[in-house]
Amino acid sequence: MLLHFREMGQGAPLVILHGLFGFSDNWQTLARRWAEAGHRVIVADLRNHGRSFHSAEHSYELMSQDILGLFDHLQLDGATTTLLGHSMGGKASMRFALDYPDRLARLVVVDIAPRASTMHHQDDILTGLNAVPVATLESRQQAEEALAQHVPQPGVRQFLLKNLYRQEDNTFAWRQNLAALTEHMEDLGAEISSDKPFLKPALFIRGGKSDYITTEDKLYGIPAIFPNSQVETVVNAGHWVHAEAPDAVFSLVQAFATQG
């Protein structure tokens, strides 16, 4: 099945993949800027997210195959295509780069390292999302009140509630496949590894207020499988670097994607 995607602009392809509980809309503002700067920008929804298909299975190996299907459908030129992914999308992008290195020219990873990590930091979010009674909801306010019992940060709640929509019969539903994501949450902490490193250029963009990429990752973990990589830190940003410091992310990616 083909991933849902949006496309804009003309030029060398730039494919963008969102993070966990996100979808393509999260990147629309930056996507438009890169399109105006001379790229053919494709922003996709990963499986079990946004308007893409739902599946009982969710792993980086499967997401890599999904991305390959999208690349084939769009007939993207591996000599010119840049793949960018944030968080979960970053790990999916790393998996794809290692699986199919000839299908892209360069890789951009936003605030995630290839090492394994526990997903316990998502426990409250998962509990909160599963506590929202979507089948009987009468308003978005009711959903926010249920979510607030487990997710106290207003900004995080707002981000999560972007996935809530009204169906044709006026009832509410989640765009993401919450059951599958809950079932496979630990799989999303899996290490991205390979016996063969990705030798092409790779840019890792790190939030200075985030701990998703550590000094050890920068010095050892990332270069071990991405030897032609650089790590750039956006000092005043957290994990959602692109939302908190869009100008910095735009400039870093634009310079990297247009280098010789």
Side-chain angles (χ1 to χ4, degrees):
M1 290 181 282
L2 184 65
L3 297 175
H4 175 267
F5 67 94
R6 302 179 184 195
E7 186 173 358
M8 61 191 80
Q10 296 181 337
L14 171 62
V15 180
I16 302 174
L17 304 176
H18 61 81
L20 179 63
F21 302 125
F23 55 112
S24 55
D25 288 22
N26 304 146
W27 283 87
Q28 285 303 299
T29 301
L30 275 170
R32 282 192 294 270
R33 291 181 66 180
W34 283 315
E36 291 166 359
H39 297 278
R40 176 191 177 192
V41 183
I42 298 103
V43 194
D45 290 338
L46 291 165
R47 66 166 52 210
N48 292 319
H49 289 77
R51 291 172 175 80
S52 280
F53 59 88
H54 285 192
S55 167
E57 300 301 320
H58 198 90
S59 69
Y60 290 117
E61 289 74 19
L62 289 172
M63 283 186 273
S64 178
Q65 294 173 25
D66 296 340
I67 298 164
L68 179 63
L70 179 65
F71 273 52
D72 286 345
H73 174 77
L74 295 170
Q75 298 182 323
L76 298 180
D77 180 5
T80 59
T81 299
T82 300
L83 177 61
L84 180 157
H86 170 243
S87 199
M88 178 190 73
K91 276 197 163 181
S93 298
M94 287 187 263
R95 182 71 273 156
F96 179 81
L98 292 164
D99 290 344
Y100 309 104
D102 293 339
R103 299 304 301 269
L104 69 163
R106 61 189 66 82
L107 172 70
V108 180
V109 176
V110 181
D111 211 57
I112 196 73
R115 63 176 159 82
S117 59
T118 67
M119 298 300 288
H120 297 314
H121 59 287
Q122 301 290 349
D123 287 353
D124 289 343
I125 286 177
L126 278 178
T127 301
L129 289 171
N130 281 289
V132 176
V134 288
T136 58
L137 272 184
E138 296 180 358
S139 68
R140 298 184 70 86
Q141 180 62 33
Q142 186 182 352
E144 178 157 12
E145 289 171 358
L147 192 57
Q149 301 300 311
H150 305 276
V151 183
Q153 309 94 324
V156 177
R157 290 201 304 274
Q158 184 182 37
F159 168 76
L160 295 170
L161 289 171
K162 287 181 180 179
N163 288 286
L164 191 66
Y165 75 105
R166 282 191 184 272
Q167 303 179 98
E168 290 184 5
D169 63 1
N170 215 36
T171 60
F172 284 96
W174 293 117
R175 290 209 180 276
Q176 77 261 23
N177 184 350
L178 185 56
L181 295 177
T182 301
E183 175 70 20
H184 294 284
M185 187 55 56
E186 288 305 313
D187 295 331
L188 296 181
E191 178 184 8
I192 304 298
S193 62
S194 176
D195 294 335
K196 296 182 179 180
F198 180 74
L199 301 176
K200 295 177 180 178
L203 169 66
F204 284 74
I205 299 175
R206 172 181 173 269
K209 296 180 179 179
S210 170
D211 59 2
Y212 278 69
I213 295 179
T214 65
T215 300
E216 185 173 351
D217 294 326
K218 180 178 178 179
L219 294 176
Y220 305 107
I222 292 171
I225 51 175
F226 300 100
N228 190 12
S229 64
Q230 62 192 90
V231 179
E232 298 289 344
T233 300
V234 180
V235 177
N236 293 318
H239 183 55
W240 284 276
V241 193
H242 55 292
E244 297 174 32
D247 290 343
V249 173
F250 171 81
S251 298
L252 285 168
V253 173
Q254 179 65 14
F256 180 70
T258 54
Q259 66 185 17

